[in-house]
Amino acid sequence: AAEGAHLGERIAEEEDDALAIQESRSILDRACEVYQPIRQLRWHYRSRHESLIAFSNHQFYDQNLILFPSPEKESSNLGVKFNLIENGVYSSRSNRPEADRIVSAIIAHMANCPNESLGIVTLNSTQRDLIEDLFDAQRKKDPLVEAYILKWVAVHEPFFIKNLETVQGDERDCIFISFTFGRDSNGSFHQRFGPINGVDGHRRLNVLFTRAKLRTEV
């Protein structure tokens, strides 16, 4: 019975992800079919540190993007940062320890970096919903959080929590990525990464990796 339930959960997850991919075909894909010949931008305009675009430039653009070198190779405020969640557990399409850590990081960012806009991206909708619920519970306790949210709404870069399929077109000073996936309670790590495993998974990764202007926190 347990194996059947696990199989059913896996099938449902794969069906949800397939539907998400089918419904989230980009406007750019459609435009490329209509407007020929295709012309691409050569200058990367968004990132203020070259590490924020270096991976995508190598993997997706064949080093064709012209980058502005950053005057600060190592900076606490710029570039890509990695935060290990040692006690993370992936269960029922979510990772509660990671969600708790991200919510704490959101609150700290809003208190300590009020002049940097912020967006959160998760790798599936279940983790997004969990982070939203946990954040809403904390939001009511801290007036600085509400002040931060109102400030960035007023300048049209509102704080957001989105899953991978809905983040295209957004950019913020700082992006937190909730990797979401990880070992389960038995220590097993299943190589199923939702839409990323699909035929257009590389495009979604490219979108994910290029949202930040100042800093990406993984």
Side-chain angles (χ1 to χ4, degrees):
E3 291 181 359
H6 180 72
L7 177 61
E9 179 182 328
R10 186 182 73 182
I11 292 173
E13 180 174 342
E14 290 173 350
E15 287 177 347
D16 288 345
D17 294 331
L19 181 61
I21 292 172
Q22 182 179 1
E23 292 181 346
S24 63
R25 191 176 178 215
S26 75
I27 294 174
L28 180 60
D29 290 337
R30 297 179 184 273
C32 287
E33 296 172 356
V34 176
Y35 300 103
Q36 298 287 338
I38 297 171
R39 299 179 64 189
Q40 293 184 314
L41 293 174
R42 292 296 309 282
W43 295 88
H44 179 69
Y45 63 92
R46 179 183 300 120
S47 302
R48 300 175 193 173
H49 192 278
E50 55 194 299
S51 68
L52 293 169
I53 189 60
F55 178 81
S56 285
N57 195 28
H58 177 73
Q59 295 290 338
F60 304 117
Y61 299 117
D62 297 322
Q63 303 288 11
N64 285 328
L65 289 180
I66 300 171
L67 308 183
F68 295 100
S70 172
E72 296 183 80
K73 289 294 183 181
E74 298 294 333
S75 170
S76 60
N77 297 319
L78 300 174
V80 181
K81 313 298 179 184
F82 175 67
N83 301 279
L84 177 64
I85 312 299
E86 294 183 352
N87 64 332
V89 176
Y90 182 65
S91 176
S92 300
R93 303 194 70 200
S94 64
N95 190 324
R96 176 61 187 263
E98 183 178 274
D100 287 333
R101 176 78 170 270
I102 285 180
V103 170
S104 296
I106 293 171
I107 303 299
H109 178 97
M110 291 179 172
N112 301 324
C113 307
N115 295 322
E116 294 180 1
S117 59
L118 177 65
I120 314 302
V121 187
T122 70
L123 295 198
N124 66 29
S125 57
T126 306
Q127 183 78 348
R128 175 205 62 201
D129 293 343
L130 174 59
I131 292 174
E132 282 184 343
D133 290 344
L134 294 173
F135 173 71
D136 286 344
Q138 292 296 320
R139 176 178 178 176
K140 302 171 184 177
K141 302 176 183 178
D142 193 336
L144 288 178
V145 169
E146 200 64 31
Y148 177 96
I149 290 172
L150 292 174
K151 171 183 177 177
W152 286 103
V153 166
V155 296
H156 308 295
E157 283 197 20
F159 168 71
F160 67 75
I161 303 172
K162 295 185 176 184
N163 58 305
L164 182 62
E165 291 75 41
T166 59
V167 75
Q168 183 163 306
D170 291 301
E171 60 179 58
R172 296 293 184 270
D173 292 325
C174 186
I175 294 291
F176 291 172
I177 298 175
S178 173
F179 187 76
T180 307
F181 303 103
R183 298 186 184 279
D184 62 20
S185 57
N186 296 318
S188 300
F189 196 119
H190 300 285
Q191 303 299 302
R192 298 193 301 270
F193 304 115
I196 295 173
N197 283 137
V199 64
D200 289 328
H202 63 289
R203 297 184 182 182
R204 280 154 181 80
L205 285 177
N206 186 28
V207 169
L208 173 64
F209 294 152
T210 56
R211 298 302 92 202
K213 292 181 280 187
L214 299 179
R215 187 169 66 259
T216 295
E217 299 262 0
V218 182

